[in-house]
């Protein structure tokens, strides 16, 4: 894994790699180099499988983070590339021609986060939501609790217990163990 | 009345009585068979009167919807197929009461009635406009047609053997000893026809057209309430009627209700036993099966005769 | 309980445009005629549901109700986690068939719609269609706390919280998830209700049709089906 990164480091701008395990590593890359790196990983380094493409909403920094996770099945290595996008104009670069499955991920991101990928097939069609008119629901400024209270009727009589105090009251006084 | 010798009006009443008995017999028998199946699987199984309750429930439903005239006629045709089959075959040989109109019809008519219901159903289900019905019907028709081939051949062999098409006479020729039965006098024709029998009983390996787990239930997708009740009646009547034909043609007929009940039950169990141990065939598989095995045996049986 | 900060306001309801193939339009037939088609109107009948009276005599109605109770045909339609718990009912261990309960593959032949768990808005649309296609009298059973008050999906943006706002429910089975035993008990209770002649959900639906439709349309934003699918 490390020597792959060394090889890439010479030609691309890589951030500090974060090793979760020996065979799982996260690294931040520049957006304009993403395509080149992915292609090289796929064709030269044997990372043939796109495990996942997902997003994180860093609302405080006004950024979206896209995570492209690719996997080398032969060597059992997983490498995740992180790309930061501007939250205001949330537009990513489509990679559906590298991995056709990416088109589905991109449709989902378009619907759930509102990140669009121009050129990706059927990206503007509905994916799982039907007739959704509000903010994309996975954005962090979308408040699901408030939304559901304003949309669906409650049945009165619902109580919520804090698990910790409830456990202490009903089962063991010294929960969690050794707290007292 | 001259057209039919020895016709008497009271025979209609007798025939209706036969029908009544056979329907009830069929209701209880199918329930018992299902129960046996459940017991084999370690379940308790349905109560034996469940068929009656279902029937009653379906009649008691309050709303129905129609898709046009043929939609009505579908189940009616189907039931006619069953009733007609029963009516023109002597249910109990030698009995004044239950020989029905067998003198008026012969084997060819019976063969026709076997097919009649399915055809009617095809028209009705087509009218219901549901794509699943159309798919189910075309599958069912293809399969029934194929299954019918060995039966027809077996029957021809039989009529050659006995030199008649009259069912009563065929039964008469088989009386006396168990070895006069066609099973022993003409085993090949019997085997050919039994292949068709298992194939048209709408039980497992050959029930892909009707099975609830397949493309939702096939032809009857749109049928409900009273229509469904009619079809249910037919579902219990038709197998019995068909079994009666086989019993008459190959297993010596029946001379009393007890013999009738036992023989029909045993014959029915043949298809059930085959059904529980075999997975379901797809249509093209079963067609191939009939062509490969049923057809040659049928041809062979004719040649042998 | 209220949301802690309710600064968030949902979008005021904007109309969702009808899908293209469902819009009324003009088409030219193969032989050159121009005809107007309206897919939502042409293929469906728009009559509202009727309230069906009971049988005239009480004895007959009781007898019918007994038959209905002993021949519950369930529509094989599973939503949420509960669809998993229905399967064991067919197995030797629980064997629901001995109570006259069967699964039917088409709504036309079913009497009982079991909503087996959370219902997202998208599934609700299908559930309503299935329910409306069942012949009367029909019953609805809600499984699990999700159908009662939202259960653990109480703050989800996409699942309804009270099933009885949208469909007339005859019986709830509580639990998350109710065990098959609880389900069987629910069926027995439902039978009791039907035998007492109280299983009139379909008539309730017909009587309060406008109310139910208003509720349904409030959450199903892209209403692309006729008002009553029968
Ligand atoms: S009540 Fe519980 S088990 Fe049932 S659907 Fe809801 S979350 Fe799932």
């Amino acid at each position: 894994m490390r020597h792959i990164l060394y090889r890439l480091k010479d030609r691309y701008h890589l951030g500090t790699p974060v090793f979760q395990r020996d065979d799982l590593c996260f690294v931040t890359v520049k957006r304009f180099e993403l395509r080149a790196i992915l292609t090289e990983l796929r064709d030269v380094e044997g990372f043939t499988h796109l495990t996942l493409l997902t997003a994180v909403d860093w609302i405080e920094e006004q950024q979206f983070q896209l995570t492209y996770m690719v996997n080398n099945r032969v060597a059992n290595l997983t490498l995740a590339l992180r790309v930061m996008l501007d939250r205001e104009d949330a537009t990513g670069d489509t990679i559906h021609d590298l991995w056709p499955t990416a088109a589905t991920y991109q449709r989902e991101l378009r619907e759930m986060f509102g990140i669009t990928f121009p050129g990706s097939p059927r990206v503007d069609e509905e994916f799982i939501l039907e007739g959704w008119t509000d903010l994309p629901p996975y954005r962090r400024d979308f408040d699901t609790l408030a939304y559901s209270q304003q949309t669906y009727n409650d049945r009165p009589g619902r109580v919520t217990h804090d698990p910790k105090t409830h456990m202490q009251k009903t089962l063991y006084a010294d929960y969690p163990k050794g707290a007292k | 009345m001259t057209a039919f010798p020895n016709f008497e009006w009271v025979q209609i009443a007798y025939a209706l009585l036969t029908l009544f008995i056979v329907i009830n017999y069929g209701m209880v028998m199918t329930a018992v068979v299902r129960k046996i199946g459940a017991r084999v699987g370690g379940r308790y199984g349905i109560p034996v009167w469940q068929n009656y309750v279902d029937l009653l429930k379906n009649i008691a439903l309050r709303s129905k919807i129609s898709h046009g005239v043929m939609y009505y006629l579908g189940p009616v045709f189907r039931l006619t197929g069953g009733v007609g089959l029963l009516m023109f075959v002597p249910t109990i040989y030698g009995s004044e009461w239950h020989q029905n109109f067998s003198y008026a019809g012969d084997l060819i008519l019976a063969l026709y009635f076997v097919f009649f219901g399915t055809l009617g159903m095809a028209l009705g289900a087509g009218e219901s406009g549901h794509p699943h019905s159309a798919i189910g019907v075309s599958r069912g028709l293809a399969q029934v047609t194929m299954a019918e081939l060995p039966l027809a051949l077996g029957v021809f062999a039989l009529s050659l053997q006995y030199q008649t098409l009259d069912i009563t006479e065929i039964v008469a020729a088989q009386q006396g000893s168990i070895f006069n039965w066609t099973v022993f006098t003409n085993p090949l024709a019997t085997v050919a026809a039994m292949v068709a029998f298992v194939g048209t009983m709408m039980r497992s390996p050959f029930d892909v057209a009707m099975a609830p787990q397949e493309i939702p239930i096939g032809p009857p997708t749109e049928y409900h309430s009273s229509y469904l009740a009619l079809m249910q009646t037919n579902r219990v009547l038709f197998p019995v009627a068909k079994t009666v034909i086989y019993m008459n043609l190959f297993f010596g007929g029946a001379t009393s209700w007890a013999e009738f009940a036992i023989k029909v039950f045993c014959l029915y169990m043949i298809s059930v036993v085959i059904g529980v141990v075999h997975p379901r065939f797809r249509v093209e598989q079963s067609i191939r099966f009939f062509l490969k095995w049923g057809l040659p045996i049928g041809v062979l049986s004719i040649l042998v005769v | 309980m209220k949301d802690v900060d309710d600064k968030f306001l949902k979008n005021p309801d904007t109309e969702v445009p009808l899908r293209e193939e469902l819009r009324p339009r003009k088409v030219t037939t193969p032989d050159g005629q121009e005809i107007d088609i309206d897919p939502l109107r042409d293929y469906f009948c728009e009559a509202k549901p009727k309230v069906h009276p009971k049988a005239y005599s009480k004895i007959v109605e009781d007898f019918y109700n007994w038959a209905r109770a002993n021949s519950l045909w369930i529509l094989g339609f599973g939503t949420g986690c509960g669809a998993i718990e229905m399967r064991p009912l067919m197995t030797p261990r629980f064997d629901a068939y001995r109570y006259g309960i069967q699964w039917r593959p088409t709504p036309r032949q079913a009497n009982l719609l079991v909503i087996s768990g959370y219902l997202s808005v998208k599934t609700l649309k299908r559930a309503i269609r299935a329910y409306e296609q069942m012949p009367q009298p029909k019953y609805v059973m809600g499984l699990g706390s999700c159908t009662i008050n939202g259960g653990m999906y109480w703050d989800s943006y996409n699942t309804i919280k009270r099933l009885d706002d949208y469909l007339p429910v005859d019986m709830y089975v509580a639990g998350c998830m109710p065990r098959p035993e609880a389900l069987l008990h629910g069926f027995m209770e439902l039978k009791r209700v039907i035998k007492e002649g109280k299983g009139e959900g379909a008539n309730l639906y017909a009587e309060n049709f406008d109310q139910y439709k208003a509720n349904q349309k409030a959450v199903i934003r892209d209403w692309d089906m006729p008002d009553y699918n029968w």
Side-chain angles (χ1 to χ4, degrees):
Chain A
M1 179 69 97
R2 283 183 200 277
H3 50 259
I4 297 175
L5 289 175
Y6 283 133
R7 250 176 277 153
L8 292 176
K9 214 175 82 177
D10 298 341
R11 279 164 294 138
Y12 305 109
H13 305 80
L14 299 187
T16 331
V18 181
F19 277 88
Q20 305 273 4
R21 294 194 306 261
D22 271 352
D23 55 354
L24 173 65
C25 172
F26 284 76
V27 61
T28 312
V29 301
K30 291 261 184 301
R31 181 176 162 189
F32 61 90
E33 286 173 356
L34 170 75
R35 216 187 147 75
I37 300 181
L38 279 177
T39 320
E40 175 163 348
L41 282 176
R42 187 185 70 157
D43 296 343
V44 183
E45 308 289 354
F47 286 83
T48 49
H49 175 56
L50 175 71
T51 318
L52 135 97
L53 162 54
T54 183
V56 182
D57 184 1
W58 297 104
I59 192 169
E60 290 83 4
E61 279 102 59
Q62 284 295 309
Q63 278 185 324
F64 278 126
Q65 168 198 327
L66 291 182
T67 309
Y68 295 81
M69 193 178 268
V70 287
N71 173 267
N72 181 341
R73 293 199 192 173
V74 181
N76 190 15
L77 296 175
T78 310
L79 182 60
L81 306 180
R82 291 186 293 221
V83 177
M84 304 309 266
L85 299 179
D86 186 20
R87 203 167 178 282
E88 282 310 300
D89 110 281
T91 318
D93 305 312
T94 173
I95 55 159
H96 71 269
D97 46 343
L98 297 183
W99 283 279
T101 38
T104 311
Y105 285 122
Q106 289 166 0
R107 254 177 96 185
E108 186 188 10
L109 291 177
R110 165 88 181 85
E111 182 164 278
M112 291 314 209
F113 286 93
I115 307 174
T116 159
F117 294 85
S120 178
R122 303 175 63 194
V123 72
D124 287 328
E125 282 173 36
E126 289 173 329
F127 185 53
I128 22 182
L129 301 174
E130 272 184 350
W132 188 256
T133 51
D134 218 294
L135 278 179
Y138 281 7
R139 290 201 176 202
R140 273 174 60 208
D141 45 0
F142 176 82
D143 184 337
T144 63
L145 177 56
Y147 180 86
S148 87
Q149 276 170 351
Q150 288 160 22
T151 313
Y152 313 109
N153 297 338
D154 275 318
R155 187 187 296 276
R158 190 188 166 97
V159 242
T160 307
H161 297 287
D162 173 39
K164 193 170 155 196
T165 43
H166 188 70
M167 286 289 264
Q168 281 170 346
K169 225 185 310 162
T170 52
L171 286 178
Y172 341 90
D174 63 340
Y175 177 86
K177 272 214 186 95
K180 242 206 190 148
Chain B
M1 297 306 103
T2 45
F4 301 126
N6 59 38
F7 177 86
E8 286 168 51
W9 283 107
V10 70
Q11 280 182 340
I12 294 188
Y14 289 161
L16 286 180
L17 181 64
T18 318
L19 193 62
F20 179 73
I21 296 178
V22 168
I23 287 183
N24 285 305
Y25 174 73
M27 292 259 197
V28 177
M29 187 186 72
T30 37
V32 167
V33 167
R34 274 182 68 187
K35 200 162 168 98
I36 292 176
R39 283 290 165 86
V40 171
R43 287 188 289 122
Y44 181 76
I46 57 171
V48 279
W49 58 83
Q50 186 63 45
N51 278 338
Y52 292 100
V53 181
D54 288 346
L55 197 62
L56 185 64
K57 193 266 320 252
N58 272 330
I59 293 174
L61 287 180
R62 291 191 193 132
S63 57
K64 27 181 135 11
I65 180 179
S66 161
H67 295 276
V69 180
M70 258 342 277
Y71 178 80
Y72 277 109
L73 290 183
V76 176
F77 278 9
R78 187 128 195 151
L79 191 61
T80 321
V83 175
L85 192 56
L86 190 70
M87 287 289 99
F88 290 101
V89 172
T91 314
I92 306 289
Y93 170 73
S95 149
E96 179 77 346
W97 283 34
H98 304 297
Q99 62 164 318
N100 307 337
F101 308 113
S102 52
Y103 49 80
D106 56 16
L107 262 175
I108 302 294
L109 188 69
L111 280 187
Y112 172 65
F113 269 123
V114 171
F115 212 81
F116 188 65
T118 321
L119 277 180
M121 203 51 224
L123 295 173
E127 174 115 358
S128 75
H130 199 289
H132 289 156
S133 322
I135 297 176
V137 158
S138 48
R139 289 166 151 201
L141 271 184
Q143 191 175 322
V144 169
T145 319
M146 279 304 124
E148 209 79 331
L149 269 178
L151 172 62
L153 290 175
V155 167
F156 290 151
L158 215 61
S159 52
L160 280 177
Q161 182 189 355
Y162 294 111
Q163 294 296 326
T164 174
L165 275 173
D166 190 335
I167 302 177
T168 321
E169 282 180 36
I170 294 182
V171 180
Q174 297 180 47
Q175 295 305 307
S177 138
I178 200 172
F179 293 106
N180 288 348
W181 293 5
T182 320
V183 204
F184 298 105
T185 55
N186 192 348
L188 274 179
T190 312
V191 172
M194 284 320 277
V195 169
F197 173 71
V198 177
T200 50
M201 278 308 254
M202 291 295 171
R203 294 201 66 91
S204 195
F206 302 107
D207 63 346
V208 74
M210 287 286 253
Q213 302 88 335
E214 293 301 323
I215 281 193
I217 210 168
T221 309
E222 280 286 307
Y223 283 95
H224 55 279
S225 60
S226 314
Y227 311 120
L228 190 61
L230 264 188
M231 304 213 328
Q232 277 181 313
T233 321
N234 182 60
R235 277 224 52 173
V236 299
L237 175 63
F238 196 60
V240 180
K242 209 151 46 178
T243 319
V244 170
I245 283 209
Y246 280 83
M247 183 180 74
N248 278 329
L249 291 185
F250 303 106
F251 297 93
T255 44
S256 69
W257 277 113
E259 198 187 343
F260 165 84
I262 293 169
K263 276 188 179 170
V264 169
F265 186 77
C266 293
L267 280 179
Y268 194 82
M269 278 316 274
I270 294 180
S271 76
V272 173
V273 168
I274 293 180
V276 291
V277 296
H278 282 284
R280 190 173 294 128
F281 279 162
R282 283 196 317 237
V283 180
E284 75 271 17
Q285 287 170 332
S286 55
I287 288 180
R288 224 168 274 154
F289 172 80
F290 289 130
L291 286 183
K292 226 191 233 156
W293 298 105
L295 203 59
I297 300 180
V299 174
L300 212 61
S301 71
I302 290 193
L303 292 182
V304 167
V305 172
Chain C
M1 183 193 51
K2 265 265 149 245
D3 189 9
V4 246
D5 70 307
D6 19 30
K7 277 182 293 227
F8 178 87
L9 273 186
K10 78 171 197 176
N11 237 2
D13 297 333
T14 35
E15 285 281 311
V16 179
L18 210 51
R19 268 182 295 144
E20 183 133 6
E21 66 266 28
L22 293 179
R23 288 190 205 136
R25 60 183 183 267
K26 267 196 188 347
V27 289
T28 327
T29 56
D31 45 356
Q33 261 177 324
E34 281 247 315
I35 50 168
D36 294 307
I37 57 165
D38 183 352
L40 282 192
R41 209 143 282 165
D42 293 350
Y43 299 136
F44 301 96
C45 109
E46 263 198 299
K48 283 191 176 187
K50 278 201 298 263
V51 180
H52 288 263
K54 300 185 178 193
Y56 296 113
S57 117
K58 178 140 183 2
I59 298 179
V60 177
E61 180 69 20
D62 281 352
F63 183 47
Y64 278 175
N65 276 336
W66 172 83
R68 285 168 194 150
N70 280 306
S71 153
L72 285 177
W73 288 7
I74 304 178
L75 179 61
F77 179 85
T79 76
C81 328
I84 301 286
E85 300 288 326
M86 298 235 293
R87 303 302 164 245
L89 288 181
M90 305 178 196
T91 59
R93 177 148 176 216
F94 298 105
D95 187 24
Y97 289 103
R98 68 197 144 129
Y99 302 117
I101 294 167
Q102 280 188 40
W103 281 261
R104 299 304 290 190
T106 124
R108 291 280 191 229
Q109 297 171 5
N111 314 104
L112 174 59
L113 178 62
V114 178
I115 302 288
S116 52
Y118 60 81
L119 208 48
S120 70
V121 172
K122 197 170 169 177
T123 325
L124 175 67
K125 199 156 125 188
R126 277 76 184 173
I128 291 171
R129 283 194 83 151
Y131 176 74
E132 291 179 348
Q133 289 184 13
M134 289 165 29
Q136 282 208 29
K138 46 194 168 185
Y139 318 103
V140 178
M141 200 159 124
L143 293 195
S145 34
C146 279
T147 54
I148 300 175
N149 62 6
M152 67 186 246
Y153 294 99
W154 60 288
D155 62 349
S156 159
Y157 58 93
N158 205 20
T159 57
I160 60 162
K161 287 194 213 164
R162 290 180 57 167
L163 180 58
D164 47 10
D165 281 349
Y166 311 100
L167 291 174
V169 183
D170 294 279
M171 181 64 56
Y172 278 118
V173 179
C176 176
M177 188 64 226
R179 295 251 328 139
E181 291 93 332
L183 253 161
L184 277 183
H185 180 68
F187 286 136
M188 295 305 122
E189 287 290 297
L190 183 64
K191 282 189 177 186
R192 206 202 58 215
V193 168
I194 298 175
K195 279 184 202 152
E196 283 169 7
K198 292 193 196 134
E200 295 291 340
N203 281 344
L204 200 69
Y205 190 71
E207 275 162 20
N208 305 325
F209 187 64
D210 297 327
Q211 172 70 39
Y212 279 114
K213 275 299 144 182
N215 281 344
Q216 290 166 1
K217 286 192 178 170
V219 293
I220 303 179
R221 221 68 72 60
D222 60 333
W223 189 271
D224 54 1
M225 51 187 190
D227 274 0
Y228 187 60
N229 309 266
W230 167 230

